[in-house]
Amino acid sequence: MRKKIVAGNWKMNLDYNEGLALFSEIINMFKDEATGQQHAVVCSPFIHLHSLVQLAKGYHNVGVGAQNAHQAEAGAYTGEISAKMVKSVGAGYVILGHSERRQYFGESNELLAKKTDTALAHDLTPIFCIGETLQEREANQHFDIIKSQLVDGIFHLDATQFGKLVIAYEPVWAIGTGVTASSDQAQEIHAFIRKEIAAKYNQQVADDTTILYGGSCNPKNAPELFAQPDIDGGLIGGASLKSRDFIDIVKVFN
């Protein structure tokens, strides 16, 4: 049975005290209002990670993650954070390949394959992001783009390693724009991803893989999106910065 996950991506927002205050609200509301078996994950800036892990102790369905990690174990990479460092503070997840990392920092599928290997070596759960731009969708290239991101980024893993991943489909044209893929559009891609996983590994691996939708997901559209058979939750951007909105999305799985 694959996990239902709502993961918040705070991006480059919130100073230290603001982050702690928001997370305290989130875990208290989760405790009081989440009645299902769903998992909430908050991926914060690095400065918050240790403190958020401490606050989350005792909440087995609340996880903490980083938004990136370097592919090298250690070295002369000023300003970077290693997977070992992320794990050492107790975080369990790391976002890899977010469209903003691909766009603004030039991260390639090949680089992300290395980052994935390093994250898995340190027992982190990668939330591996894939998705197409508006130009690629309008050119009817979206299936080819998604397949290449899977093949070049994570299909080098064996079935056991792959089973430790979470995948997030993010239509780049719907991130931060207020535009959301329709539930049919999102389901179509999620089903395609699961079909490609089954073809590469087997149907059981595909059925066990959690695939999240990330693209302007909010409390209003989450119920329709999460009702789709191949959508197992969301990677939430702006709405994760508001405790009420984030928990209302989490509660869709109650």
Side-chain angles (χ1 to χ4, degrees), residues 1 12 21 40-41 81 95 109 161 167-169 175 199 211 217 229:
M1 197 64 184
M12 195 177 73
V41 177
I81 299 287
I95 297 174
N109 294 326
Q161 293 171 316
I167 294 176
Y169 165 62
I175 297 174
I211 309 176
C217 187

Side-chain angles (χ1 to χ4, degrees), residues 28-166:
N28 286 326
M29 294 167 78
F30 185 93
K31 176 185 67 175
D32 292 340
E33 301 181 38
T35 59
Q37 296 301 309
Q38 70 271 51
H39 294 252
V41 177
V42 169
C43 296
S44 74
F46 295 122
I47 64 165
H48 302 103
L49 287 179
H50 179 265
S51 295
L52 299 197
V53 168
Q54 300 306 307
L55 288 170
K57 284 185 175 178
Y59 298 88
H60 69 281
N61 278 16
V62 178
V64 175
Q67 297 172 17
N68 183 36
H70 199 270
Q71 67 274 17
E73 287 289 339
Y77 302 102
T78 300
E80 291 295 321
I81 299 287
S82 71
K84 181 180 180 181
M85 293 173 182
V86 173
K87 185 65 179 180
S88 72
V89 299
Y93 293 81
V94 59
I95 297 174
L96 296 177
H98 192 280
S99 61
E100 291 158 2
R101 297 294 310 179
R102 293 175 185 265
Q103 178 181 354
Y104 302 138
F105 301 94
E107 294 193 353
S108 65
N109 294 326
E110 292 73 22
L111 173 68
L112 293 168
K114 295 175 183 177
K115 289 193 172 195
T116 300
D117 291 344
T118 307
L120 289 171
H122 289 281
D123 199 28
L124 291 171
T125 297
I127 300 176
F128 193 87
C129 300
I130 57 178
E132 81 282 3
T133 66
L134 180 61
Q135 292 79 9
E136 289 162 346
R137 175 166 277 270
E138 290 179 340
N140 203 33
Q141 297 174 333
H142 45 296
F143 293 118
D144 291 338
I145 295 296
I146 295 296
K147 184 169 184 176
S148 68
Q149 291 171 339
L150 289 169
V151 170
D152 297 338
I154 50 179
F155 274 3
H156 66 286
L157 301 171
D158 64 32
T160 300
Q161 293 171 316
F162 190 88
K164 298 175 182 178
L165 293 178
V166 172

